[in-house]
Amino acid sequence: MLEGTHYKRVKSKVGDDTLEINGVWIHSQFDPKKEATRFVAELPHDGTERIYLLFGAGIGYIIPYLLERSKVTIIWMEPFSFLIQEALSKFDFSEAFLSGKIVLVTGDNLEDQLSNAVKGKGTHPISFVPHRGSWQWKESEYLKLKLIAEQMFHKKDVNLATLTRFEKIWAKNICYNLPELSKFRPISDLFGIAKGIKVLIACAGPSLSESIPEILRYRNQFLLLAVDTAVPILTSFGVDPDLIYSVDPQALNSQYLEDYSGEGILIFDPTSTYISLRLEMGPNKGFVTSSPFPLLQLLEKTAAGEIGSVPFGGSVSTNAASLGTLMGAEKVYLVGQDLSFTKGLAHSKGAVLEERLNYLESRKFRREKHNYKQLFALPQKQVLGIQNETYITNEKMLIFKKWFEDHTKENPWTNLTKFGAKLEGMEHSSFQKEFLNENTSNQKQIQSVMHVKKLIQSKLNENSSFFERSLLIADIQNTITSLIEFLILVRQGLTVSQRIYQQIQKNQINPKTFSEDIKRMDLIDEEVSQKKGLNEILSLGIQRVILTITEGYDEHMSLEEKENAQLGVAKKSLLLYEGLYESIRSTKRMLTKSLYRLQSNL
C-alpha cells in the first residue's frame, strides 16, 4: 500500500460494505449494489462476444453483475494490491478466474499481460470501464492504465496491419536474398567490437542536414552508423558512413543506395528488399542479422555458428541504436531522430524522396503538395519538443518514441538531435559537449576509432566462409522436393474443404458423403500438421489466414460466415488450405530462382 494511505471498511446505510480511502468514498455510502447495477446497466451489451476492460473496480461490486452477462470477458486492471485483496475477501471469483471469464492484470509488464489477455479475441468489441470511486481517489494512477491500454491496442493494430501488408514481400525478399547473403558475415562478429569508443547513429529526420557541420567537425572521433535513408543526405555533404543499416522490405529503399560509391559496410536484415543487393553501384558486402521468420532457417542451418539478432522496434533507427549497444560502445548517440515533422518537413533536405520529386514535378504536382500529403497521411498528434516547444507528429512515430523511452534505461544512448520530439528519460546533449575540439590533442580516441574500423574490415575479409554454400544448395533442393510432395496433399485438402463448405453454405448436406468428407478432412489435417518444418517455412506468406483463425481477423470473413458458426469453421478450413496451396506454389517458385542463381555463381 502507498505510504500515507489510510483506508477503512465501513457499512453503508443499507448494511453493505463500502470503503473509504483518505476521505474518498470508493463506493456509495448509501447503497453500493444499487450504484453498481445502475452503472452496469449503462454499459453496452447485445449478446455477442465483448470485452469489458476495467480500470479499477474498488472492492468489486460491478463484477458479479458483469458476470451475469453471456459471452463476456472481464479484464480487470488494478495497480493497488490491497484493493484486490479487499475485493477477493468479499467476493469469490475463483470459478470465473479458472474459466478465463475474468483476467487480472496487475504488477509489472502490464502491456504484455494485457496483450496476452486479449489474444484470440481480435474482433471482440472492447468497452473501457473506469471505476468512478477509484479515479476520484487516484486519477493519475488509473489514467496510466488507460494510456497503457490505448498504446497496446494501437500498437497491436499497427503490427497486424504491418504483418498483413508485408507478409508476401518479406517471404519474397528472404528467398531472393539467400544467394547474396550466403557471402555475408554474421552480425555476431560485431558484438563487443566497439568497446571504448563512441558510435553515432545518423537517422534521416528533418533536422539531420542541420547537424552536418558538427558531424564533419568531429567525424574522426566516432564510428558512424547510418540508417539507409540517411545515406544520400550524408554523402551529398561529403560524409561517408562506416556502417549502413538496411531493414525496409519495400523496393523504394534500394534507391537510397543505388548511387552510393563510398566505403560504408552494409548491415542487412534478411527481409530488406533484395534489389539493394543487386545494384550496379552501392554497398554489396557486409553483415547479415538473424530473423524470427522460419524461412531463414535455410540459411541458418548452413552457418558455422550463431548469426546473432538485433532487437527490433519497428524502425531502422531502433535497430541501429540497439546494434550500437550490442557492439559494446562506450556511448551511443542519436542525430536526426526528430520523430516529428520538424519545421513542417516530412523528410530531411536531400532525402531520396525529395530528390525524386525533381523528376515528378509538374504544374499540377509540386513538391510542397507531396510534403503536405506526407504530413497528413496519418492523423496528426502533438508532441513536446526538446526545448519544450510543440511539434506535429503522428501515431506511428509516437510508437517509435515510446520504444526509445522504454529502452533507454538499459542502453547508453544520448540524443544529439537539434530539434524534434523530446525523448523522456534519454539524456539530451550537443556535439560540443560530447566531443573534444578539433584543435585539442585527442589522438588516443581517434586511434581507437581507426582500430575498430580496421577490425571490422578484417572480420569482413576473413578467408573462411561463414555459410556453407554447397550445403545451402542441397537444403534448398530438398525443400523444393518436399514442397512438391506437400502440394499434392494440400490440393486434396483444398478439394475436400471446398466440398464441405459448399454443402453447408447451400444447406444441402448429404449425411453419408458429408460424414466421409469430415473423416477425410481429419486425416488430411493430421498429415498436414505433421509437416511442422514446412508449415513454419510457409507460414510467413499466409499471415492474413493465420490471423483469421487465431485472432479473429475479419478481412476474409463475410457477415453470413460470422453469424453461422458451422459455416465459419468450414470457411477457416478452406482459407487455410487456399493459403497453404498458394504459399507452396510461390515459395517453390522463388526458391527455384534462388537455387539457379546460387548454382550459377559457384
Side-chain angles (χ1 to χ4, degrees):
M1 185 164 40
L2 289 176
E3 188 176 343
T5 299
H6 305 286
Y7 76 95
K8 57 182 178 179
R9 195 161 176 165
V10 296
K11 295 293 182 181
S12 67
K13 296 292 185 183
V14 297
D16 290 318
D17 291 337
T18 186
L19 206 65
E20 182 188 4
I21 308 178
N22 291 353
V24 176
W25 292 96
I26 302 303
H27 298 284
S28 170
Q29 303 176 55
F30 302 98
D31 192 340
K33 287 182 180 177
K34 189 173 184 180
E35 176 190 50
T37 55
R38 284 178 175 175
F39 182 61
V40 169
E42 296 174 1
L43 298 177
H45 181 241
D46 56 6
T48 61
E49 297 281 1
R50 177 174 290 277
I51 295 172
Y52 294 113
L53 180 53
L54 311 185
F55 302 113
I59 57 176
Y61 274 106
I62 68 168
I63 294 177
Y65 298 108
L66 292 176
L67 288 172
E68 291 174 358
R69 296 181 169 183
S70 61
K71 297 182 180 180
V72 301
T73 300
I74 300 166
I75 300 176
W76 175 13
M77 297 187 77
E78 178 56 67
F80 300 107
S81 58
F82 78 92
L83 282 174
I84 298 170
Q85 291 171 355
E86 287 291 328
L88 296 183
S89 69
K90 180 167 183 61
F91 296 102
D92 182 7
F93 297 135
S94 54
E95 187 177 335
F97 279 122
L98 288 171
S99 67
K101 196 161 184 178
I102 298 180
V103 180
L104 181 61
V105 175
T106 189
D108 299 325
N109 303 314
L110 295 175
E111 188 174 324
D112 291 338
Q113 290 185 55
L114 184 57
S115 180
N116 289 330
V118 298
K119 191 173 183 180
K121 301 178 176 67
T123 57
H124 297 181
I126 298 176
S127 297
F128 280 18
V129 185
H131 182 250
R132 184 173 60 86
S134 300
W135 281 60
Q136 285 178 340
W137 168 54
K138 281 287 182 185
E139 181 177 354
S140 61
E141 295 299 320
Y142 291 97
L143 183 59
K144 285 180 186 176
L145 299 183
K146 184 172 180 287
L147 293 174
I148 287 170
E150 289 173 344
Q151 175 186 302
M152 192 284 295
F153 287 118
H154 176 64
K155 187 185 294 182
K156 187 179 179 71
D157 288 344
V158 171
N159 288 341
L160 289 178
T162 301
L163 200 58
T164 56
R165 178 184 175 190
F166 291 117
E167 56 176 0
K168 289 182 171 57
I169 302 176
W170 282 332
K172 182 178 181 179
N173 286 336
I174 291 177
C175 286
Y176 285 176
N177 280 328
L178 289 175
E180 282 70 31
L181 293 183
S182 65
K183 300 174 185 177
F184 274 45
R185 292 293 304 175
I187 194 66
S188 57
D189 278 358
L190 299 185
F191 293 172
I193 205 169
K195 288 179 180 177
I197 72 165
K198 299 173 179 179
V199 173
L200 179 69
I201 311 296
C203 311
S207 72
L208 176 60
S209 57
E210 299 194 35
S211 294
I212 293 295
E214 286 91 345
I215 294 174
L216 285 167
R217 186 177 306 142
Y218 304 105
R219 177 66 185 90
N220 58 2
Q221 296 184 42
F222 52 77
L223 189 78
L224 181 56
L225 169 54
V227 304
D228 53 2
T229 48
V231 171
I233 305 162
L234 294 170
T235 55
S236 67
F237 290 100
V239 179
D240 193 22
D242 302 304
L243 299 169
I244 301 168
Y245 210 129
S246 181
V247 167
D248 202 295
Q250 298 175 94
L252 173 66
N253 262 59
S254 66
Q255 296 173 359
Y256 295 107
L257 304 174
E258 64 181 0
D259 295 323
Y260 180 72
S261 58
E263 298 297 320
I265 296 168
L266 199 57
I267 309 295
F268 201 78
D269 187 283
T271 61
S272 192
T273 174
Y274 68 92
I275 299 173
S276 294
L277 300 183
R278 301 186 187 184
L279 299 170
E280 289 186 20
M281 295 179 65
N284 56 11
K285 59 181 180 179
F287 299 87
V288 60
T289 69
S290 185
S291 169
F293 299 123
L295 192 53
L296 192 68
Q297 291 174 5
L298 290 169
L299 185 66
E300 289 179 330
K301 286 191 294 185
T302 73
E306 290 290 327
I307 294 177
S309 60
V310 177
F312 187 75
S315 163
V316 64
S317 61
T318 61
N319 290 49
S322 297
L323 177 58
T325 299
L326 289 170
M327 291 173 73
E330 176 186 294
K331 214 163 186 183
V332 177
Y333 299 99
L334 305 177
V335 67
Q337 185 65 344
D338 297 49
L339 294 174
S340 65
F341 299 115
T342 309
K343 298 185 178 180
L345 293 174
H347 308 99
S348 181
K349 292 179 179 179
V352 163
L353 281 174
E354 183 185 80
E355 294 307 309
R356 292 277 154 193
L357 296 179
N358 289 328
Y359 304 102
L360 296 175
E361 281 193 312
S362 66
R363 183 173 60 83
K364 294 182 179 180
F365 181 85
R366 308 297 295 174
R367 64 179 64 232
E368 291 80 10
K369 181 179 178 181
H370 176 77
N371 189 74
Y372 180 84
K373 287 175 69 177
Q374 291 289 105
L375 294 179
F376 292 93
L378 292 172
Q380 289 193 338
K381 301 283 185 178
Q382 288 191 336
V383 66
L384 185 68
I386 291 166
Q387 298 171 355
N388 294 322
E389 66 277 55
T390 300
Y391 287 115
I392 298 299
T393 185
N394 61 32
E395 291 178 340
K396 185 177 180 182
M397 287 193 282
L398 287 178
I399 290 176
F400 304 148
K401 178 179 182 291
K402 184 65 166 57
W403 187 92
F404 276 108
E405 292 170 343
D406 287 345
H407 292 78
T408 190
K409 289 181 181 178
E410 299 84 36
N411 293 279
W413 298 335
T414 298
N415 194 6
L416 301 183
T417 304
K418 285 198 169 186
F419 310 105
K422 182 179 182 180
L423 296 173
E424 299 292 343
M426 187 184 295
E427 178 189 0
H428 185 265
S429 187
S430 65
F431 281 86
Q432 289 77 9
K433 290 180 182 178
E434 299 297 324
F435 298 99
L436 295 174
N437 219 322
E438 63 268 27
N439 297 323
T440 305
S441 177
N442 191 31
Q443 287 306 308
K444 186 177 179 181
Q445 178 69 16
I446 294 171
Q447 287 173 2
S448 296
V449 172
M450 287 300 299
H451 173 70
V452 171
K453 290 181 183 180
K454 290 177 181 177
L455 201 53
I456 293 173
Q457 192 64 48
S458 69
K459 291 282 186 182
L460 201 61
N461 294 333
E462 285 190 12
N463 292 326
S464 58
S465 176
F466 186 77
F467 299 103
E468 179 55 60
R469 285 170 65 85
S470 59
L471 183 57
L472 178 59
I473 288 172
D475 279 350
I476 292 177
Q477 287 174 326
N478 291 336
T479 301
I480 291 171
T481 301
S482 298
L483 288 173
I484 293 171
E485 295 171 355
F486 194 28
L487 188 65
I488 297 170
L489 177 64
V490 170
R491 189 185 289 118
Q492 293 173 0
L494 179 57
T495 301
V496 177
S497 62
Q498 285 172 335
R499 242 184 354 248
I500 292 172
Y501 178 82
Q502 288 169 359
Q503 288 184 68
I504 297 172
Q505 186 186 40
K506 296 176 181 177
N507 199 22
Q508 296 177 349
I509 296 176
N510 182 312
K512 183 180 178 181
T513 58
F514 189 77
S515 177
E516 290 173 353
D517 282 341
I518 294 294
K519 289 178 182 177
R520 178 64 182 145
M521 196 76 255
D522 288 342
L523 291 172
I524 294 173
D525 284 345
E526 188 175 346
E527 284 189 69
V528 168
S529 66
Q530 290 173 359
K531 306 286 186 180
K532 187 177 178 182
L534 286 177
N535 284 324
E536 287 179 346
I537 287 174
L538 297 167
S539 65
L540 180 54
I542 56 170
Q543 287 301 310
R544 281 184 176 88
V545 174
I546 292 172
L547 290 171
T548 299
I549 297 169
T550 62
E551 293 285 338
Y553 194 66
D554 276 350
E555 187 172 294
H556 292 293
M557 302 286 283
S558 68
L559 182 61
E560 180 189 8
E561 290 157 352
K562 292 175 191 175
E563 292 177 344
N564 185 333
Q566 194 178 27
L567 186 62
V569 171
K571 180 58 178 286
K572 289 178 181 179
S573 177
L574 178 58
L575 287 171
L576 175 62
Y577 281 94
E578 285 177 344
L580 277 174
Y581 183 73
E582 290 304 318
S583 186
I584 291 171
R585 292 178 64 191
S586 62
T587 304
K588 181 177 73 69
R589 182 174 64 252
M590 292 184 297
L591 287 178
T592 300
K593 290 182 179 180
S594 287
L595 179 63
Y596 174 78
R597 297 188 75 248
L598 272 164
Q599 291 171 328
S600 301
N601 293 314
L602 270 179

